[in-house]
Amino acid sequence: MRRCTRSACSQTAVATLTYVYADQTAVLGPLATYAEPHTYDLCSEHSQRMSAPLGWNVLRLAPDPAAVEPSRDDLLALADAVREAGRPPTPVPDGPPALRLVRPES
């Protein structure tokens, strides 16, 4: 469980803030899958109060409610992966492949 990166805040992070300096945009979206060095994880309170530098745009990306739950495709992919992992390994022949002599045609 990741914590808010704001000083003296120990709340659980729910959103990730990223700055796009080239576009002068601050992007606040759902919590990233993993923490990255140049992003900031924020709790609910700090993500609502977040403001960007003067002249910058703030882009708030709301998570798709349907994407929060695993989709049918996600579950099928997981089932396929489990089946594949449970299959016995393909036997590997011992030694070099068998050689077959071919007589030249006369």
Side-chain angles (χ1 to χ4, degrees):
M1 196 175 278
R2 297 198 318 248
R3 301 282 179 204
C4 182
T5 55
R6 293 292 304 258
S7 299
C9 183
S10 61
Q11 297 297 315
T12 302
V14 296
T16 298
L17 172 65
T18 305
Y19 290 106
V20 182
Y21 293 96
D23 297 333
Q24 292 187 333
T25 303
V27 181
L28 183 66
L31 188 63
T33 306
Y34 56 91
E36 293 190 24
H38 301 289
T39 62
Y40 304 91
D41 295 334
L42 300 175
C43 65
S44 179
E45 180 183 346
H46 285 121
S47 65
Q48 291 172 2
R49 296 187 332 187
M50 193 275 313
S51 62
L54 188 62
W56 283 49
N57 296 315
V58 177
L59 180 61
R60 294 178 185 267
L61 304 174
D64 179 12
V68 174
E69 296 290 323
S71 71
R72 185 174 192 288
D73 290 339
D74 293 337
L75 295 175
L76 287 175
L78 179 60
D80 289 342
V82 169
R83 269 189 231 109
E84 184 67 28
R87 281 194 187 138
T90 306
V92 178
D94 296 336
L99 298 176
R100 186 174 64 128
L101 295 176
V102 178
R103 296 179 190 246
E105 292 183 34
S106 326

